């Protein structure tokens, strides 16, 4: 199956997930994540502000803030450039993609980030991912030295061969029930 076909199939599967199942899966995956040493040892955690069909990152954001972590969210620029900025719910704006991003320009140095929670639509067993097609995360992760994790529903798992520029996440937490 071609990447675009896989992307569309999984996107449709995500949008049709039962809300009770999704809420339970989101809580279970968060519990698994916060029990890991990569979460416990992280001070700066980067995540994203999710669409409704994606993992509910608000759960992670609230828990991490309660645990004393600094939360960072992405800000995108032309030509596939992305930075991470400290999360401030009162300073967000909608992008042309319909995502919320920080209004400010003050980015956090990549070397300070301990853990990046990486989004994606489709994942293979080696942690390679198919996203929405912009390549922002693959470019950013190319020289990132910290930990990476994705929280993945079972409907997002598929076999595919990654492209040469794809960067795998180091850890996947899945929910399959």
């Amino acid at each position: 199956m071609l990447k675009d076909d896989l992307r569309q199939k999984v996107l449709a599967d995500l949008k049709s997930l039962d809300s009770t199942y999704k809420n339970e899966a989101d809580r279970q995956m968060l519990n698994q994540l916060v029990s890991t040493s990569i979460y416990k040892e992280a001070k700066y955690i980067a995540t994203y502000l999710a669409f409704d069909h994606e993992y509910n990152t608000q759960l992670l954001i609230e828990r991490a803030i309660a645990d004393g972590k600094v939360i960072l969210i992405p800000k995108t620029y032309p030509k596939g450039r992305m930075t991470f900025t400290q999360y401030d719910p009162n300073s967000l704006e909608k992008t042309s993609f319909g995502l919320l991003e920080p209004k400010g320009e003050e980015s956090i140095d990549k070397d300070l980030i301990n853990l990046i929670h990486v989004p994606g639509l489709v994942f293979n067993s080696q942690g390679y991912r198919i996203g929405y097609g912009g390549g922002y995360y693959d470019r950013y992760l190319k020289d990132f030295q910290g930990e990476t994790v994705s929280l993945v529903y079972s409907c997002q798992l598929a076999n595919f061969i990654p492209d040469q520029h794809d960067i795998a996440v180091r850890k996947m937490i899945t929910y399959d029930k």
Side-chain angles (χ1 to χ4, degrees):
M1 192 178 277
L2 296 173
K3 266 190 173 184
D4 283 341
D5 295 335
L6 257 178
R7 189 181 279 127
Q8 293 310 313
K9 180 199 174 304
V10 171
L11 186 56
D13 290 348
L14 286 171
K15 288 181 176 181
S16 68
L17 283 177
D18 174 75
S19 63
T20 303
Y21 166 87
K22 187 180 177 315
N23 291 338
E24 175 64 18
D26 289 350
R27 282 194 300 279
Q28 291 292 334
M29 288 189 288
L30 176 65
N31 289 340
Q32 288 181 57
L33 175 60
V34 299
S35 71
T36 65
S37 60
I38 60 173
Y39 175 86
K40 290 176 183 173
E41 295 167 10
K43 167 118 176 83
Y44 289 88
I45 298 177
T47 188
Y48 54 96
L49 301 177
F51 289 118
D52 288 344
H53 59 270
E54 294 176 307
Y55 170 82
N56 181 0
T57 56
Q58 205 55 45
L59 296 172
L60 171 58
I61 290 168
E62 290 169 8
R63 174 64 187 264
I65 290 171
D67 290 343
K69 316 268 184 205
V70 177
I71 288 293
L72 310 171
I73 59 170
K75 182 162 180 85
T76 57
Y77 298 91
K79 298 183 181 159
R81 191 170 77 85
M82 181 175 77
T83 62
F84 284 96
T85 301
Q86 190 162 346
Y87 173 67
D88 176 356
N90 300 312
S91 182
L92 300 172
E93 61 190 0
K94 211 168 237 187
T95 69
S96 59
F97 296 113
L99 292 168
L100 288 174
E101 285 193 352
K103 286 182 186 174
E105 298 287 330
E106 192 169 316
S107 65
I108 300 296
D109 188 286
K110 190 183 283 194
D111 294 335
L112 290 176
I113 303 172
N114 309 109
L115 174 62
I116 298 178
H117 171 225
V118 181
L121 285 171
V122 188
F123 294 82
N124 72 13
S125 60
Q126 292 84 41
Y128 286 97
R129 46 181 277 290
I130 297 172
Y132 292 93
Y136 289 94
Y137 277 85
D138 288 321
R139 281 195 247 341
Y140 192 88
L141 295 174
K142 186 174 52 188
D143 61 351
F144 178 67
Q145 299 302 308
E147 294 294 331
T148 55
V149 64
S150 290
L151 305 180
V152 181
Y153 306 107
S154 58
C155 68
Q156 293 178 274
L157 297 171
N159 289 322
F160 64 89
I161 298 170
D163 292 336
Q164 66 183 33
H165 63 272
D166 289 347
I167 306 290
V169 292
R170 295 188 181 111
K171 180 168 184 60
M172 285 192 313
I173 294 175
T174 57
Y175 182 81
D176 186 12
K177 202 171 224 181

